[in-house]
Amino acid sequence: MGESIKVALFGASGRTGQAVARAGAAQGLLIRASLRETTRAILPSTVEIIRGDLGDANHVRDTIAGTIVVCCVFGPGPPYTDVFCARATELIVNAMHRVGVRRLICQTGAMIGRDVANWTLPVCLMVRMFRWQRPAVAADRTRQEELIRESDLEWTLVKPPRLTDGPARGRVLADVDTRIGLLSKISRADLASFLVGECVAPRYLKQAVYVTW
Ligand SMILES: NC(=O)c1ccc[n+]([C@@H]2O[C@H](COP(=O)([O-])OP(=O)(O)OC[C@H]3O[C@@H](n4cnc5c(N)ncnc54)[C@H](OP(=O)(O)O)[C@@H]3O)[C@@H](O)[C@H]2O)c1
């Protein structure tokens, strides 16, 4: 089904990224993974690796050129202080326009952005605390989403709650109206299947979709 689909994967070294690479390769997707110079990752042998920096426009363009789908699953790791997502996303959107790639799938998070209607009251309070503790990171991720929504690309924002490394259950609840509570979660394995599904057959074009168990 996905034999000829070429996917540029940004954030491929992360736990979601490696799960996407595995799930995508298993479905026959041709994956080109962007990795930082010193990053190590266990990726299937069919994955093409391009080393470079997400802040380097040439690296971003070279990763995207010749693909037909871009999938972004990067985000700051502990201590969650890196501010780079909006800038990297801007470079990705610009490069997609330049080389003529239209489909963009980007994972952010259920607590990023302004979709208050999707949050239970405790989650609203957590979002408020996160913004107070990490204002620059929170603003960066919100801007990342805005850049994608403002683009005229065929985008999908994928917004999971807490991620686990547990086994796949083989089912995902995905909806734009899903309410996220403090106990909401999803495994990276199921999330990766969902992301690969969106690479193969888009179902949520120009939508922000919440994905949980
Ligand atoms: N963890 C959660 O519970 C949770 C919940 C909801 C949403 N999310 C979001 O889901 C996505 C994936 O999460 P994850 O926990 O699976 O990811 P992860 O394992 O923390 O991996 C993060 C990825 O982002 C890259 N990255 C981090 N800082 C970078 C920088 N300054 N420049 C370039 N690349 C950088 C990492 O590259 P290196 O390997 O080179 O560092 C890695 O590929 C992220 O956007 C995250 O915010 C996470």
Side-chain angles (χ1 to χ4, degrees):
M1 191 178 177
E3 264 109 7
S4 59
I5 296 176
K6 292 189 182 166
V7 180
L9 180 60
F10 291 94
S13 57
R15 288 159 292 173
T16 302
Q18 294 184 55
V20 169
R22 279 193 300 274
Q27 284 224 25
L29 268 56
L30 300 174
I31 294 180
R32 183 182 291 156
S34 158
L35 293 188
R36 291 199 271 186
E37 293 295 348
T38 55
T39 290
R40 288 177 137 2
I42 299 169
L43 297 169
S45 57
T46 54
V47 172
E48 178 189 0
I49 293 171
I50 306 223
R51 296 266 173 194
D53 196 287
L54 273 182
D56 175 353
N58 290 333
H59 165 71
V60 169
R61 189 205 49 225
D62 290 348
T63 306
I64 293 172
T67 66
I68 60 168
V69 181
V70 174
C71 181
C72 298
V73 292
F74 53 79
Y80 307 105
T81 48
D82 270 7
V83 173
F84 70 97
C85 293
R87 176 67 184 145
T89 301
E90 188 178 19
L91 293 180
I92 288 166
V93 169
N94 289 345
M96 289 179 70
H97 280 126
R98 230 175 307 134
V99 302
V101 177
R102 302 278 312 146
R103 179 79 177 119
L104 172 61
I105 301 154
C106 181
Q107 176 175 326
T108 57
M111 293 191 225
I112 291 165
R114 309 185 198 282
D115 299 338
V116 180
N118 293 82
W119 301 332
T120 58
L121 180 61
V123 169
C124 283
L125 297 174
M126 264 190 74
V127 170
R128 203 178 279 190
M129 191 183 300
F130 169 60
R131 288 179 181 170
W132 178 73
Q133 288 175 329
R134 300 263 188 274
V137 172
D140 180 52
R141 300 307 303 263
T142 298
R143 183 65 194 138
Q144 178 187 20
E145 290 197 346
E146 285 170 356
L147 284 162
I148 291 169
R149 289 176 194 267
E150 288 163 7
S151 79
D152 64 354
L153 297 170
E154 292 166 5
W155 56 266
T156 300
L157 279 172
V158 178
K159 293 168 68 69
R162 184 163 61 85
L163 303 181
T164 77
D165 290 319
R169 288 186 183 176
R171 66 180 172 82
V172 171
L173 292 175
D175 202 333
V176 294
D177 297 323
T178 297
R179 293 262 288 171
I180 298 297
L182 285 185
L183 299 180
S184 300
K185 61 181 178 179
I186 185 170
S187 74
R188 290 178 175 87
D190 280 323
L191 183 56
S193 296
F194 179 83
L195 289 161
V196 167
E198 280 300 298
C199 291
V200 173
R203 285 183 301 158
Y204 297 93
L205 280 177
K206 301 209 183 230
Q207 290 184 307
V209 59
Y210 286 73
V211 286
T212 64
W213 272 339

